[in-house]
DNA sequence: ATTAATTATGCAATACTTTTCGAGAATTAT
DNA sequence: ATAATTCTCGAAAAGTATTGCATAATTAAT
């Protein structure tokens, strides 16, 4: 039995049972407790589980393939997510695009009141399903291998039938002059449809992606109602956006 | 034995079993462990597998961490998946329901020719995205929290527009007299639509779910063209199905 | 076709990793 | 406090990796 296999087994047990005993796993996998102890320690160091006296427990933070360390600028995105949540009200209909910032928002979504959320993003949808009070509606269509989102005609048609209260647009590049831009033509079409389908458009972006311009244009800066970054609203970096009167959170 | 042959053998083993041991392959292919070690290293450098101490593991395995119920059922499902693949031809349009058997099938899907696959299952879709040659189309709609599949009116409407060559129906309970049954009314509607949308219906089920009956009926046994279980086609357990002339694989 | 260059394989010695075990220290439960 | 369990550590054993080298097989060049 390979170390890798043990690690997988352990991760699965932790996921399913929320806790594991050193002894049980050692018996089950037919190795010494020492070995399992080292495995648990290793997985703990990776942040995948939490080692405790006599075994390990789930880290409850990690569901699915969601690995915080793998997400670039995770702390920033987490903060953006928390700010975004302050905009959400009970019973609202929300539209969420893809990207790791939205994925983080999906993870942080409030649990205590009902919401209806439309998304074309597979990872975001999976994350939303963790929240029992959220009705998640997947906007279907042809899936993009890399981005793991639905794109193309079907998706746009479906979006044309939706009218959401808020749309959270993740990823993308934002510049005061040039507006919101993307490097994938199909993603541009998708975002345009999402903007059309929402009363209020909220752009979520880490400050690093501000003042960057890509090939294709999604919309003018004026079409965006609210901008959320990890920076405080009065940060000089956001000066250009403050000047044109964009709401900044 | 040519190097190419060994590499192909290894890749296939990794794909089917998720892992390989240096020793096993060396014996099987009748070359030294050194050679296999070099092969594994080579394949790792190509990014095709992940080399670990003592062998290698699949690298896409970790991208989506799916739950293997228990090792035995998993082996059965894996075998069912392999049988199902023998039915698939280039360029076909395929419909796949949810469930762990279909998830396993999704994992094992052939990589070397193009396919178009429709599915309402989030985990199956994610798994399919691992295959560059497969065009995956998600049949959108309201998502079920537990089953992680799209259900409801939208989903059924979309399916009404599809005509697939084959439909792989996972999970569910099959009995010669009572036909295919389910315990969730909405899932019944979904499966009915999937059956209507396909020229050929293939039921995938572990033998343990045969002769079980649930509350709601999806279809008669006659509506199913092909049955795949982990058992050999001539197994006495499948006697009832053999008698009515169902194709069994 | 023969030679030279390149690549692939197996072997042996050595280095490295992983696992197990035992004894004592630390922790937890009663 | 006492007993029971779990943890840490070092050493030994088992297993795996690396290296250099000899030989065989393949490819390219003359």
């Amino acid at each position: 039995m390979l170390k890798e296999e043990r690690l997988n087994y352990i991760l699965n047990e932790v996921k399913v049972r929320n806790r594991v005993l050193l002894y049980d796993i050692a018996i089950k996998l037919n190795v010494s407790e020492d070995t399992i102890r080292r495995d648990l320690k290793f997985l703990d160091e990776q942040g995948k589980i939490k080692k405790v006296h006599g075994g390990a427990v789930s880290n409850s933070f990690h569901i699915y393939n969601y690995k915080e360390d793998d997400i670039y600028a995770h702390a920033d995105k987490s903060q953006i997510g928390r700010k975004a949540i302050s905009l959400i009200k009970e019973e609202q209909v929300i539209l969420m695009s893809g990207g790791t910032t939205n994925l983080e928002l999906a993870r942080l979504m409030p649990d205590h009141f009902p919401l209806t959320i439309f998304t074309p993003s597979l990872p975001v949808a999976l994350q939303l399903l963790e929240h029992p009070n959220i009705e998640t509606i997947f906007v279907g269509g042809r899936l993009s291998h890399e981005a793991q989102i639905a794109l193309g005609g079907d998706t746009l048609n479906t979006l044309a039938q939706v009218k959401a209260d808020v749309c959270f647009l993740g990823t993308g590049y934002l510049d005061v002059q040039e507006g919101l831009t993307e490097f994938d033509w199909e993603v541009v079409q998708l975002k345009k449809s999402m903007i059309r389908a929402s009363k209020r458009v909220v752009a979520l972006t880490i400050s690093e992606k501000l003042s960057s311009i890509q090939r294709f244009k999604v919309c003018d800066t004026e079409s965006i109602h609210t901008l959320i970054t990890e920076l405080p609203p009065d940060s000089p970096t956001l000066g250009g956006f403050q000047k044109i009167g964009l709401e900044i959170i």
Side-chain angles (χ1 to χ4, degrees), chain A residues 10 17 24-25 36 57 65 70 76 81 90 96 111 130 146 152 177 184 201 207-208 214 221-222 236 239-240 247 249:
Chain A
I10 294 170
R17 305 197 198 295
D24 290 344
I25 306 182
I36 301 302
V57 296
N65 55 336
D70 290 356
D76 291 346
E90 194 164 341
M96 288 177 74
D111 280 319
E130 294 295 311
E146 322 80 54
Q177 312 304 324
D184 184 314
V201 176
S207 57
E208 182 183 318
Q214 292 294 327
T221 312
E222 286 73 30
E247 179 187 23
I249 300 183

Side-chain angles (χ1 to χ4, degrees), chain A residues 15 61-67 123 125-130:
Chain A
K15 188 163 120 193
F61 243 29
H62 301 252
I63 50 173
Y64 292 105
N65 55 336
Y66 185 89
K67 298 180 201 132
L126 266 173
Q127 194 67 52
L128 290 172
L129 288 180
E130 294 295 311

Side-chain angles (χ1 to χ4, degrees), chain A residues 1 18 30 34 45 65 74 80 106 110 114 150 172 177 185 193 198 215 225 235 243:
Chain A
M1 159 146 292
N18 277 318
N30 196 32
D34 265 339
E45 279 157 10
N65 55 336
H74 176 260
I80 292 172
Q177 312 304 324
W185 178 249
S193 294
S198 310
R215 199 168 356 179
H225 305 101
S235 159
K243 230 170 272 160

